[in-house]
Amino acid sequence: MGFSRILQIAGIIVALHALYFGIVKDSMKMEMLMLLIGVVMFYFGRLSGSKR
């Protein structure tokens, strides 16, 4: 498992945790920030994996 795959998995986990913050903690600002971070992590993992 390469670094790009690990980055993609971490991005998905952060995005799911962001949805938890939005539903349970009712914190829209934190949810959007974490969702943005998760999507960026996933996208960078996707880009680094497609260069091979």
Side-chain angles (χ1 to χ4, degrees):
M1 185 180 309
F3 178 70
S4 62
R5 183 67 66 181
I6 293 172
L7 202 57
Q8 288 177 6
I9 292 171
I12 290 172
I13 290 172
V14 169
L16 290 175
H17 196 68
L19 294 176
Y20 165 78
F21 262 92
I23 293 171
V24 175
K25 304 279 185 170
D26 200 26
S27 174
M28 183 63 106
K29 182 179 176 184
M30 190 66 168
E31 177 187 9
M32 295 310 284
L33 178 66
M34 288 180 65
L35 193 58
L36 177 70
I37 291 170
V39 167
V40 168
M41 285 175 64
F42 181 81
Y43 187 70
F44 280 142
R46 195 81 169 155
L47 284 179
S48 66
S50 66
K51 289 184 179 179
R52 290 184 180 180

PDB file of all heavy atoms in Angstrom, residues 4-5 7-9 11 13-15 20 22-24 28-29 33-35 38 41 44-46 48:
ATOM      1  N   SER A   4       0.093   7.248  -1.522  1.00  0.00           N
ATOM      2  CA  SER A   4      -1.102   7.861  -2.108  1.00  0.00           C
ATOM      3  C   SER A   4      -2.377   7.182  -1.607  1.00  0.00           C
ATOM      4  O   SER A   4      -3.374   7.852  -1.317  1.00  0.00           O
ATOM      5  CB  SER A   4      -1.044   7.797  -3.625  1.00  0.00           C
ATOM      6  OG  SER A   4      -1.009   6.462  -4.074  1.00  0.00           O
ATOM      7  N   ARG A   5      -2.350   5.869  -1.475  1.00  0.00           N
ATOM      8  CA  ARG A   5      -3.518   5.134  -0.982  1.00  0.00           C
ATOM      9  C   ARG A   5      -3.799   5.472   0.484  1.00  0.00           C
ATOM     10  O   ARG A   5      -4.946   5.644   0.885  1.00  0.00           O
ATOM     11  CB  ARG A   5      -3.273   3.630  -1.141  1.00  0.00           C
ATOM     12  CG  ARG A   5      -4.432   2.771  -0.745  1.00  0.00           C
ATOM     13  CD  ARG A   5      -5.609   2.912  -1.633  1.00  0.00           C
ATOM     14  NE  ARG A   5      -5.288   2.407  -2.957  1.00  0.00           N
ATOM     15  CZ  ARG A   5      -6.125   2.406  -3.969  1.00  0.00           C
ATOM     16  NH1 ARG A   5      -7.345   2.865  -3.809  1.00  0.00           N
ATOM     17  NH2 ARG A   5      -5.763   1.959  -5.142  1.00  0.00           N
ATOM     18  N   LEU A   7      -3.026   8.286   1.949  1.00  0.00           N
ATOM     19  CA  LEU A   7      -3.538   9.652   1.957  1.00  0.00           C
ATOM     20  C   LEU A   7      -5.020   9.679   1.577  1.00  0.00           C
ATOM     21  O   LEU A   7      -5.800  10.436   2.156  1.00  0.00           O
ATOM     22  CB  LEU A   7      -2.721  10.514   0.995  1.00  0.00           C
ATOM     23  CG  LEU A   7      -2.724  12.013   1.210  1.00  0.00           C
ATOM     24  CD1 LEU A   7      -2.243  12.348   2.614  1.00  0.00           C
ATOM     25  CD2 LEU A   7      -1.844  12.682   0.191  1.00  0.00           C
ATOM     26  N   GLN A   8      -5.420   8.856   0.625  1.00  0.00           N
ATOM     27  CA  GLN A   8      -6.824   8.782   0.233  1.00  0.00           C
ATOM     28  C   GLN A   8      -7.685   8.250   1.382  1.00  0.00           C
ATOM     29  O   GLN A   8      -8.763   8.793   1.670  1.00  0.00           O
ATOM     30  CB  GLN A   8      -6.988   7.876  -0.977  1.00  0.00           C
ATOM     31  CG  GLN A   8      -6.476   8.475  -2.258  1.00  0.00           C
ATOM     32  CD  GLN A   8      -6.588   7.504  -3.421  1.00  0.00           C
ATOM     33  OE1 GLN A   8      -7.155   6.421  -3.296  1.00  0.00           O
ATOM     34  NE2 GLN A   8      -6.047   7.886  -4.559  1.00  0.00           N
ATOM     35  N   ILE A   9      -7.218   7.211   2.044  1.00  0.00           N
ATOM     36  CA  ILE A   9      -7.973   6.633   3.159  1.00  0.00           C
ATOM     37  C   ILE A   9      -8.087   7.633   4.296  1.00  0.00           C
ATOM     38  O   ILE A   9      -9.161   7.788   4.902  1.00  0.00           O
ATOM     39  CB  ILE A   9      -7.318   5.311   3.622  1.00  0.00           C
ATOM     40  CG1 ILE A   9      -7.473   4.252   2.535  1.00  0.00           C
ATOM     41  CG2 ILE A   9      -7.925   4.822   4.934  1.00  0.00           C
ATOM     42  CD1 ILE A   9      -6.690   2.986   2.775  1.00  0.00           C
ATOM     43  N   GLY A  11      -8.053  10.859   4.036  1.00  0.00           N
ATOM     44  CA  GLY A  11      -8.987  11.891   3.602  1.00  0.00           C
ATOM     45  C   GLY A  11     -10.435  11.472   3.775  1.00  0.00           C
ATOM     46  O   GLY A  11     -11.280  12.262   4.204  1.00  0.00           O
ATOM     47  N   ILE A  13     -11.508   9.253   5.974  1.00  0.00           N
ATOM     48  CA  ILE A  13     -11.775   9.189   7.410  1.00  0.00           C
ATOM     49  C   ILE A  13     -12.027  10.582   7.975  1.00  0.00           C
ATOM     50  O   ILE A  13     -12.951  10.778   8.778  1.00  0.00           O
ATOM     51  CB  ILE A  13     -10.618   8.476   8.137  1.00  0.00           C
ATOM     52  CG1 ILE A  13     -10.623   6.996   7.775  1.00  0.00           C
ATOM     53  CG2 ILE A  13     -10.703   8.666   9.643  1.00  0.00           C
ATOM     54  CD1 ILE A  13      -9.428   6.215   8.260  1.00  0.00           C
ATOM     55  N   VAL A  14     -11.228  11.564   7.548  1.00  0.00           N
ATOM     56  CA  VAL A  14     -11.426  12.938   8.025  1.00  0.00           C
ATOM     57  C   VAL A  14     -12.779  13.472   7.555  1.00  0.00           C
ATOM     58  O   VAL A  14     -13.494  14.140   8.308  1.00  0.00           O
ATOM     59  CB  VAL A  14     -10.269  13.849   7.563  1.00  0.00           C
ATOM     60  CG1 VAL A  14     -10.580  15.308   7.818  1.00  0.00           C
ATOM     61  CG2 VAL A  14      -8.982  13.462   8.266  1.00  0.00           C
ATOM     62  N   ALA A  15     -13.160  13.166   6.321  1.00  0.00           N
ATOM     63  CA  ALA A  15     -14.451  13.636   5.813  1.00  0.00           C
ATOM     64  C   ALA A  15     -15.617  12.994   6.580  1.00  0.00           C
ATOM     65  O   ALA A  15     -16.592  13.672   6.902  1.00  0.00           O
ATOM     66  CB  ALA A  15     -14.565  13.322   4.322  1.00  0.00           C
ATOM     67  N   TYR A  20     -19.706  13.569  11.244  1.00  0.00           N
ATOM     68  CA  TYR A  20     -20.056  13.317  12.647  1.00  0.00           C
ATOM     69  C   TYR A  20     -20.146  14.634  13.419  1.00  0.00           C
ATOM     70  O   TYR A  20     -21.067  14.841  14.195  1.00  0.00           O
ATOM     71  CB  TYR A  20     -19.010  12.390  13.276  1.00  0.00           C
ATOM     72  CG  TYR A  20     -19.069  12.345  14.785  1.00  0.00           C
ATOM     73  CD1 TYR A  20     -20.046  11.597  15.426  1.00  0.00           C
ATOM     74  CD2 TYR A  20     -18.154  13.046  15.547  1.00  0.00           C
ATOM     75  CE1 TYR A  20     -20.109  11.554  16.806  1.00  0.00           C
ATOM     76  CE2 TYR A  20     -18.208  13.012  16.926  1.00  0.00           C
ATOM     77  CZ  TYR A  20     -19.178  12.271  17.558  1.00  0.00           C
ATOM     78  OH  TYR A  20     -19.236  12.235  18.915  1.00  0.00           O
ATOM     79  N   GLY A  22     -20.845  17.524  12.251  1.00  0.00           N
ATOM     80  CA  GLY A  22     -22.022  18.267  11.818  1.00  0.00           C
ATOM     81  C   GLY A  22     -23.314  17.730  12.394  1.00  0.00           C
ATOM     82  O   GLY A  22     -24.207  18.488  12.745  1.00  0.00           O
ATOM     83  N   ILE A  23     -23.417  16.416  12.512  1.00  0.00           N
ATOM     84  CA  ILE A  23     -24.659  15.802  12.980  1.00  0.00           C
ATOM     85  C   ILE A  23     -24.753  15.819  14.502  1.00  0.00           C
ATOM     86  O   ILE A  23     -25.748  16.255  15.070  1.00  0.00           O
ATOM     87  CB  ILE A  23     -24.781  14.361  12.444  1.00  0.00           C
ATOM     88  CG1 ILE A  23     -24.953  14.387  10.932  1.00  0.00           C
ATOM     89  CG2 ILE A  23     -25.940  13.641  13.101  1.00  0.00           C
ATOM     90  CD1 ILE A  23     -24.865  13.018  10.287  1.00  0.00           C
ATOM     91  N   VAL A  24     -23.711  15.344  15.167  1.00  0.00           N
ATOM     92  CA  VAL A  24     -23.775  15.161  16.618  1.00  0.00           C
ATOM     93  C   VAL A  24     -23.426  16.447  17.372  1.00  0.00           C
ATOM     94  O   VAL A  24     -24.129  16.844  18.283  1.00  0.00           O
ATOM     95  CB  VAL A  24     -22.849  14.003  17.050  1.00  0.00           C
ATOM     96  CG1 VAL A  24     -22.812  13.868  18.555  1.00  0.00           C
ATOM     97  CG2 VAL A  24     -23.305  12.704  16.411  1.00  0.00           C
ATOM     98  N   MET A  28     -21.329  23.658  12.438  1.00  0.00           N
ATOM     99  CA  MET A  28     -21.239  23.766  10.991  1.00  0.00           C
ATOM    100  C   MET A  28     -19.873  24.284  10.543  1.00  0.00           C
ATOM    101  O   MET A  28     -19.331  23.820   9.541  1.00  0.00           O
ATOM    102  CB  MET A  28     -22.346  24.692  10.479  1.00  0.00           C
ATOM    103  CG  MET A  28     -22.362  24.806   8.985  1.00  0.00           C
ATOM    104  SD  MET A  28     -22.719  23.230   8.223  1.00  0.00           S
ATOM    105  CE  MET A  28     -24.359  23.508   7.700  1.00  0.00           C
ATOM    106  N   LYS A  29     -19.295  25.218  11.288  1.00  0.00           N
ATOM    107  CA  LYS A  29     -17.993  25.773  10.914  1.00  0.00           C
ATOM    108  C   LYS A  29     -16.908  24.695  10.942  1.00  0.00           C
ATOM    109  O   LYS A  29     -16.119  24.566  10.011  1.00  0.00           O
ATOM    110  CB  LYS A  29     -17.637  26.915  11.861  1.00  0.00           C
ATOM    111  CG  LYS A  29     -16.348  27.587  11.536  1.00  0.00           C
ATOM    112  CD  LYS A  29     -16.057  28.723  12.507  1.00  0.00           C
ATOM    113  CE  LYS A  29     -14.708  29.336  12.229  1.00  0.00           C
ATOM    114  NZ  LYS A  29     -14.387  30.367  13.208  1.00  0.00           N
ATOM    115  N   LEU A  33     -14.804  22.993   7.692  1.00  0.00           N
ATOM    116  CA  LEU A  33     -13.343  23.030   7.694  1.00  0.00           C
ATOM    117  C   LEU A  33     -12.762  21.628   7.570  1.00  0.00           C
ATOM    118  O   LEU A  33     -11.872  21.381   6.748  1.00  0.00           O
ATOM    119  CB  LEU A  33     -12.838  23.709   8.966  1.00  0.00           C
ATOM    120  CG  LEU A  33     -11.329  23.767   9.134  1.00  0.00           C
ATOM    121  CD1 LEU A  33     -10.729  24.667   8.058  1.00  0.00           C
ATOM    122  CD2 LEU A  33     -10.971  24.247  10.511  1.00  0.00           C
ATOM    123  N   MET A  34     -13.281  20.696   8.359  1.00  0.00           N
ATOM    124  CA  MET A  34     -12.776  19.327   8.307  1.00  0.00           C
ATOM    125  C   MET A  34     -13.135  18.645   6.989  1.00  0.00           C
ATOM    126  O   MET A  34     -12.352  17.851   6.465  1.00  0.00           O
ATOM    127  CB  MET A  34     -13.308  18.522   9.486  1.00  0.00           C
ATOM    128  CG  MET A  34     -12.681  18.918  10.802  1.00  0.00           C
ATOM    129  SD  MET A  34     -13.314  17.979  12.182  1.00  0.00           S
ATOM    130  CE  MET A  34     -12.753  16.344  11.797  1.00  0.00           C
ATOM    131  N   LEU A  35     -14.287  18.951   6.447  1.00  0.00           N
ATOM    132  CA  LEU A  35     -14.680  18.386   5.161  1.00  0.00           C
ATOM    133  C   LEU A  35     -13.755  18.884   4.060  1.00  0.00           C
ATOM    134  O   LEU A  35     -13.332  18.107   3.196  1.00  0.00           O
ATOM    135  CB  LEU A  35     -16.130  18.740   4.860  1.00  0.00           C
ATOM    136  CG  LEU A  35     -16.803  17.989   3.733  1.00  0.00           C
ATOM    137  CD1 LEU A  35     -16.784  16.498   4.001  1.00  0.00           C
ATOM    138  CD2 LEU A  35     -18.231  18.467   3.567  1.00  0.00           C
ATOM    139  N   GLY A  38     -10.431  17.053   4.454  1.00  0.00           N
ATOM    140  CA  GLY A  38     -10.553  15.672   3.997  1.00  0.00           C
ATOM    141  C   GLY A  38     -10.591  15.552   2.483  1.00  0.00           C
ATOM    142  O   GLY A  38      -9.953  14.677   1.904  1.00  0.00           O
ATOM    143  N   MET A  41      -7.071  16.286   1.130  1.00  0.00           N
ATOM    144  CA  MET A  41      -6.187  15.136   1.354  1.00  0.00           C
ATOM    145  C   MET A  41      -6.492  14.020   0.356  1.00  0.00           C
ATOM    146  O   MET A  41      -5.574  13.425  -0.224  1.00  0.00           O
ATOM    147  CB  MET A  41      -6.350  14.606   2.775  1.00  0.00           C
ATOM    148  CG  MET A  41      -5.703  15.446   3.825  1.00  0.00           C
ATOM    149  SD  MET A  41      -6.041  14.863   5.489  1.00  0.00           S
ATOM    150  CE  MET A  41      -5.259  13.269   5.497  1.00  0.00           C
ATOM    151  N   PHE A  44      -5.219  15.077  -3.174  1.00  0.00           N
ATOM    152  CA  PHE A  44      -3.767  14.985  -3.322  1.00  0.00           C
ATOM    153  C   PHE A  44      -3.315  13.531  -3.394  1.00  0.00           C
ATOM    154  O   PHE A  44      -2.398  13.197  -4.140  1.00  0.00           O
ATOM    155  CB  PHE A  44      -3.045  15.707  -2.191  1.00  0.00           C
ATOM    156  CG  PHE A  44      -2.969  17.190  -2.384  1.00  0.00           C
ATOM    157  CD1 PHE A  44      -3.108  18.038  -1.310  1.00  0.00           C
ATOM    158  CD2 PHE A  44      -2.763  17.745  -3.632  1.00  0.00           C
ATOM    159  CE1 PHE A  44      -3.036  19.411  -1.472  1.00  0.00           C
ATOM    160  CE2 PHE A  44      -2.702  19.112  -3.813  1.00  0.00           C
ATOM    161  CZ  PHE A  44      -2.832  19.944  -2.729  1.00  0.00           C
ATOM    162  N   GLY A  45      -3.965  12.663  -2.647  1.00  0.00           N
ATOM    163  CA  GLY A  45      -3.658  11.239  -2.744  1.00  0.00           C
ATOM    164  C   GLY A  45      -4.012  10.689  -4.106  1.00  0.00           C
ATOM    165  O   GLY A  45      -3.303   9.867  -4.670  1.00  0.00           O
ATOM    166  N   ARG A  46      -5.113  11.164  -4.653  1.00  0.00           N
ATOM    167  CA  ARG A  46      -5.548  10.737  -5.984  1.00  0.00           C
ATOM    168  C   ARG A  46      -4.576  11.209  -7.057  1.00  0.00           C
ATOM    169  O   ARG A  46      -4.236  10.464  -7.965  1.00  0.00           O
ATOM    170  CB  ARG A  46      -6.935  11.314  -6.226  1.00  0.00           C
ATOM    171  CG  ARG A  46      -7.669  10.735  -7.316  1.00  0.00           C
ATOM    172  CD  ARG A  46      -8.298   9.446  -6.866  1.00  0.00           C
ATOM    173  NE  ARG A  46      -9.215   9.069  -7.917  1.00  0.00           N
ATOM    174  CZ  ARG A  46      -9.579   7.859  -8.141  1.00  0.00           C
ATOM    175  NH1 ARG A  46      -9.177   6.907  -7.346  1.00  0.00           N
ATOM    176  NH2 ARG A  46     -10.394   7.578  -9.117  1.00  0.00           N
ATOM    177  N   SER A  48      -1.344  12.068  -6.627  1.00  0.00           N
ATOM    178  CA  SER A  48      -0.027  11.419  -6.502  1.00  0.00           C
ATOM    179  C   SER A  48      -0.082   9.966  -6.940  1.00  0.00           C
ATOM    180  O   SER A  48       0.922   9.414  -7.378  1.00  0.00           O
ATOM    181  CB  SER A  48       0.475  11.542  -5.077  1.00  0.00           C
ATOM    182  OG  SER A  48      -0.325  10.814  -4.192  1.00  0.00           O
TER     183      SER A  48
END
